[in-house]
Amino acid sequence: MLKSLFGDLGIHETRRMAQRQDFAATAVFEVNDPRLADNGRIVDRHSSDLYFTGSAAVAMREHLAQTPPAADQRVITLFDPMAMWAGSVIKALSDATGQPVERVQLRDAATLRTLAAIERTQVARRDAPSLKLYRAEIRDAPAGGESDRVAHVLMEHSHMAAAIVGALAPEAVESALRALQFAVRHPSWKCPYLLFLLPPNAAWIAQRIDQVQWPAALRVQWIDEPLTGASAVWNIVLRCWDQFSGGATAVDTRFDLAAVSRQLRGLAGDDGVLGVGLVDVETGALLAAETRRPELALAASAPSASNSATTPELGVAAAALAHALRAQQEAAQVMGLTAPVEEVMVCAGAFQSIVRRLSRRADLCLVALLDRQHANLALARFKLVEAQRHIG
């Protein structure tokens, strides 16, 4: 019987897979009991070597496909390109729970070079499925290469994948996002939740994540909190996992009216902002609104004669701006542009209007009505982008 970190492979099954042209043949040598090696050193019974030929990623995918997680287990993979925290989290959890850290070395059968090391440990939870935590330690390989694809394979078979961005250089961030964007579209990708752990004040990284066209079935979230230690990293991951596993399984369920109200109040407090609202793109309905001007009625009815000549009514403006966004989308399609239109501005007389589509809720948009003489247009646009990230 051949055994790997991910389960047992029968001899007949191994021969059958080895005969397939698209299968990367593997052989696993594992020590099941502690013993003394010839040099007198103790052999770790939780460590094993996996020798592969061909593609390590394909071999790993085959192993994982053969041994799905048990019904009472959930799998979380930590993707840590800079090797900052994932190893410390695995070690700390092992020390705290008494569970061993199981380790597999992926070695090229021809050169014996170690491509990556995979570690896992288990965390038992009361009244909840146990958590299997994985991480792949990459060995001196460029981003986006075969070793990164091994990490992506671990992620694709997880219930949640957490990418620790850390202090990656801008070009490395772009490369990692491109690789992940490709990985999540692979037919074998099953992970429903992708979490990014960002350094504080990394607004540009968050903006790039929001700009990526992720699959609709994948929930993508980013957190920009200080990562001060292994416990802080684990607490963030565990908190997000509990929120996700508590029922937030689809992108469309993330609409939080209280969060929307907080963001709209922050936008409406700036000088020159007459009103802001959340609007349904298809119907033009005003779903939530904040205004500092008492004459801006929030109903969707036509404005009264007393204020129609001076200040547009917010409900009517919202419906008109949603129509403008739809028209711009149709124009973009005529031009051969497939990406959704993100923002439309309308300037007329004393007023400026901005409509911005939510990145992960394409059916909703934010609108802002501005007094052209007193508003700071650049600041208003920046704050709309910030509100868009927090709302979804």
Side-chain angles (χ1 to χ4, degrees), residues 242-266:
D242 286 339
Q243 292 173 354
F244 170 71
S245 61
T249 58
V251 174
D252 288 346
T253 62
R254 291 183 293 161
F255 179 66
D256 185 343
L257 188 58
V260 171
S261 297
R262 288 194 299 271
Q263 296 301 320
L264 295 184
R265 282 196 297 271

Side-chain angles (χ1 to χ4, degrees), residues 216-263:
L218 177 65
R219 180 182 178 186
V220 179
Q221 182 179 356
W222 53 263
I223 300 290
D224 56 347
E225 298 182 11
L227 304 180
T228 57
S231 60
V233 175
W234 173 241
N235 287 337
I236 294 172
V237 171
L238 186 60
R239 184 184 73 221
C240 292
W241 165 253
D242 286 339
Q243 292 173 354
F244 170 71
S245 61
T249 58
V251 174
D252 288 346
T253 62
R254 291 183 293 161
F255 179 66
D256 185 343
L257 188 58
V260 171
S261 297
R262 288 194 299 271
Q263 296 301 320

Side-chain angles (χ1 to χ4, degrees), residues 333-355:
Q333 292 173 353
V334 171
M335 291 186 290
L337 304 177
T338 58
V341 174
E342 299 175 2
E343 184 180 270
V344 173
M345 288 192 296
V346 178
C347 302
F351 302 104
Q352 291 176 320
S353 302
I354 309 172
V355 54

Side-chain angles (χ1 to χ4, degrees), residues 85-105:
W85 295 112
S88 299
V89 171
I90 295 280
K91 177 68 165 56
L93 289 175
S94 173
D95 292 343
T97 62
Q99 294 291 327
V101 175
E102 298 170 279
R103 185 178 180 90
V104 157
Q105 305 273 359

Side-chain angles (χ1 to χ4, degrees), residues 264-282:
L264 295 184
R265 282 196 297 271
L267 288 167
D270 290 341
D271 290 340
V273 178
L274 304 176
V276 291
L278 182 70
V279 181
D280 187 297
V281 172
E282 294 301 320

Side-chain angles (χ1 to χ4, degrees), residues 31 33-44:
V31 178
D33 297 303
R35 63 177 179 83
L36 289 178
D38 294 339
N39 59 5
R41 298 182 62 183
I42 296 179
V43 176
D44 185 356

Side-chain angles (χ1 to χ4, degrees), residues 25 55 68 84 98 106-107 109 127 144-145 160 215 225 231 271 273 282 295 311 324:
S55 168
M84 292 182 62
L106 274 71
R107 299 183 185 273
D127 301 326
M160 171 180 165
E225 298 182 11
S231 60
D271 290 340
V273 178
E282 294 301 320
E295 65 267 28
T311 306

